[in-house]
Amino acid sequence: AHGWRVFGRRLVLVMQFVTYYLDTVTQMIYVAQFFGQLLPGAKVCQWTWLVVVWGISVPLMQIPTFHASRWVIVPAAATTALSVAFFLGEVVAVHPWNCQPGPSYGGVTVRSSFVSLASFAYAFGGHGMFPEALREMKEPKRWPAVMTWTYAVMVPCYLVCMCLGYYAYGSFSQANINLNFPDNWVNTVSLTLQLLQCYYLIFYTNVVIVMGLEMDAG
């Protein structure tokens, strides 16, 4: 039984490391993609943007803990709220369901179901960081209140964006929703806000990996 416990613990650690490593890579790719969309005239390939993103992420990696990054929480929350607002505004202003060709629905396949399920799971992937956030709290007993407010705010945002996005774009919806928007100032601001969000998330996912390595190293 002890051997299985040790094996299970190591397996969880490996899976956690791989998951957040890939998540960090995903955030870097997003930032590189946003740079490419914001600067279409730049004659730069995506791999070059990735090198740029790596370079500007190095100072961010010097932040040692979640607590040390608390100064950025208010701007991060503000950019999230504004991103949702711009999404809603763009859809309401453009009325994509009246475009030609309009959105199409249905056509669900095993592959599309798996992609949707994976995307849904990814949306709640931050749960793996809760233990570290709880550990760093000054008053851990307030954690239930934190969860209540978190879900009360985020779940309605997910539901509204999910339902409205599917109604507006249907099967034409892109993984990068900004590719569905017209090239206007609202889209530009939205891209900028999401670039800042993903830039911070590079730290957020990477700190879990680094702290895990530090704890294993003693």
Side-chain angles (χ1 to χ4, degrees), residues 8-171:
R9 179 178 180 276
R10 290 176 178 174
L11 180 62
V12 169
L13 291 174
V14 170
M15 292 179 64
Q16 185 183 49
F17 179 89
V18 172
T19 299
Y20 287 112
Y21 172 78
L22 294 176
D23 196 357
T24 304
V25 172
T26 299
Q27 303 306 329
M28 294 182 70
I29 291 174
Y30 270 129
V31 174
Q33 187 178 46
F34 292 145
F35 271 129
Q37 290 179 261
L38 288 170
L39 302 170
K43 305 300 181 181
V44 178
C45 297
Q46 187 176 34
W47 72 267
T48 308
W49 278 125
L50 283 172
V51 173
V52 172
V53 173
W54 170 81
I56 64 176
S57 299
V58 171
L60 197 66
M61 295 302 100
Q62 310 312 307
I63 303 175
T65 62
F66 292 146
H67 181 73
S69 72
R70 63 193 181 280
W71 50 270
V72 82
I73 294 301
V74 173
T79 56
T80 300
L82 288 172
S83 294
V84 173
F86 279 122
F87 166 76
L88 298 176
E90 191 76 71
V91 171
V92 171
V94 176
H95 296 163
W97 47 83
N98 292 328
C99 297
Q100 295 297 329
S104 63
Y105 309 102
V108 178
T109 64
V110 174
R111 179 182 180 278
S112 65
S113 299
F114 179 79
V115 171
S116 298
L117 180 62
S119 299
F120 187 80
Y122 177 78
F124 291 91
H127 286 52
M129 302 177 191
F130 286 175
E132 177 57 27
L134 175 60
R135 187 186 71 83
E136 294 186 27
M137 287 183 66
K138 288 184 177 180
E139 300 179 52
K141 64 181 180 181
R142 299 181 63 185
W143 182 253
V146 172
M147 287 292 92
T148 299
W149 278 103
T150 298
Y151 275 90
V153 172
M154 295 310 302
V155 170
C157 288
Y158 277 133
L159 289 174
V160 170
C161 291
M162 175 182 66
C163 295
L164 182 60
Y166 185 67
Y167 176 74
Y169 303 109
S171 59

